[in-house]
């Protein structure tokens, strides 16, 4: 009997070692699963903020609408700044000799942008906002779209004006850009509410 017990002790010890080793192996095997979960969470976070709201605003009206769109979509904001800012006198549409009258009457004119162009890498949607001048987009918007690559990006134009619609501005910008998937644009007044913008954004999907 004593001999049998002495024989069993090493056997039990071996079994115990095997059990502990197995438990250790199970504990180690959970690490890849946790890492996979962390990677998935990181991917979800990386998917956020892929919307960019670009705008040009000489008086602040378009800026206000752009800020609301950015707040609704969670997008980033970028302002197109003219190298030579537009004064009230420049924007006088009653004056045939005003700066903007000359620019808008010349479809080939390209005002210089004074702000550093944004990188569009990582964005899949770009909202593009501007006021309506002389029934069209300001020429500085043409400067911007011709300076960027919209491949793989959905571009959504929007404009602000007292009464004029977006007209052919969206099509003009699409043609000048030469890349991207462009949706039909929309015109808003400066007092547009967030609820109205939210409804419009929801109708795009």
């Amino acid at each position: 009997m004593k001999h049998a017990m002495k024989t069993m002790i090493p056997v039990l010890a071996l079994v115990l070692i095997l059990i502990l080793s197995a438990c250790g192996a199970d504990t180690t095997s959970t690490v890849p699963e946790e890492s996979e979960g962390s990677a998935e969470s990181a991917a979800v976070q990386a998917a956020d903020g892929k919307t960019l709201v670009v705008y040009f605003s000489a008086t602040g009206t378009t800026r206000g609408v752009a800020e609301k769109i950015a707040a609704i979509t969670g997008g980033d904001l970028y302002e197109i700044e003219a190298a030579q800012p537009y004064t009230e006198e420049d924007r006088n549409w009653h004056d045939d000799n005003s700066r903007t009258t000359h620019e808008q009457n010349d479809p080939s004119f390209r005002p210089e942008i004074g702000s550093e162009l944004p990188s569009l890498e990582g964005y899949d949607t770009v909202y593009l906002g501007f006021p309506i001048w002389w029934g069209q987009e300001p020429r500085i918007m043409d400067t911007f779209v011709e300076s960027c690559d919209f491949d793989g990006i959905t571009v959504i134009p929007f404009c602000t004006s007292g009464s004029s619609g977006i007209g052919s501005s969206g099509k003009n910008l699409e043609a000048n850009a030469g890349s991207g998937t462009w949706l039909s644009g929309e015109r808003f007044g400066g007092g547009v509410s967030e609820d109205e913008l939210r409804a419009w954004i929801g109708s795009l999907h």
Side-chain angles (χ1 to χ4, degrees):
M1 185 68 174
K2 289 182 179 181
H3 179 74
M5 289 183 65
K6 286 181 180 180
T7 303
M8 289 179 62
I9 288 174
V11 174
L12 290 172
L14 179 61
V15 170
L16 184 59
I17 290 171
L18 291 173
I19 292 173
L20 290 174
S21 298
C23 290
D26 289 341
T27 302
T28 304
S29 66
T30 61
V31 173
E33 294 177 6
E34 290 176 359
S35 298
E36 183 178 347
S38 299
E40 186 175 350
S41 298
V44 171
Q45 292 173 358
D48 295 336
K50 285 197 171 182
T51 295
L52 179 64
V53 183
V54 175
Y55 69 92
F56 168 68
S57 184
T59 65
T61 301
T62 306
R63 177 187 297 113
V65 177
E67 288 173 346
K68 290 176 183 177
I69 292 174
I72 293 168
T73 61
D76 298 324
L77 272 171
Y78 168 78
E79 180 177 9
I80 299 171
E81 298 177 4
Q84 180 185 348
Y86 290 88
T87 65
E88 185 175 355
E89 184 179 353
D90 289 337
R91 303 191 311 273
N92 184 2
W93 61 276
H94 294 290
D95 183 359
D96 291 340
N97 292 313
S98 72
R99 174 185 172 190
T100 49
T101 298
H102 285 297
E103 290 182 2
Q104 294 304 112
N105 284 334
D106 181 1
S108 67
F109 194 88
R110 295 294 181 267
E112 184 181 351
I113 294 175
S115 47
E116 183 179 351
L117 291 174
S119 170
L120 300 185
E121 185 177 354
Y123 292 106
D124 51 23
T125 303
V126 171
Y127 288 84
L128 198 59
F130 50 91
I132 290 293
W133 285 356
W134 286 249
Q136 297 179 321
E137 77 282 0
R139 299 301 174 210
I140 196 168
M141 298 303 300
D142 299 307
T143 306
F144 178 79
V145 299
E146 290 175 356
S147 304
C148 297
D149 182 359
F150 296 97
D151 280 342
I153 296 175
T154 298
V155 186
I156 307 169
F158 68 94
C159 71
T160 58
S161 73
S163 58
S164 300
I166 197 167
S168 61
S169 297
K171 292 297 182 183
N172 294 342
L173 292 169
E174 179 180 5
N176 288 332
S179 60
T181 300
W182 290 68
L183 302 188
S184 297
E186 188 61 75
R187 172 244 166 222
F188 299 104
V192 64
S193 68
E194 286 196 11
D195 286 341
E196 291 174 301
L197 289 172
R198 190 173 285 107
W200 170 64
I201 292 168
S203 72
L204 300 172
H205 304 289

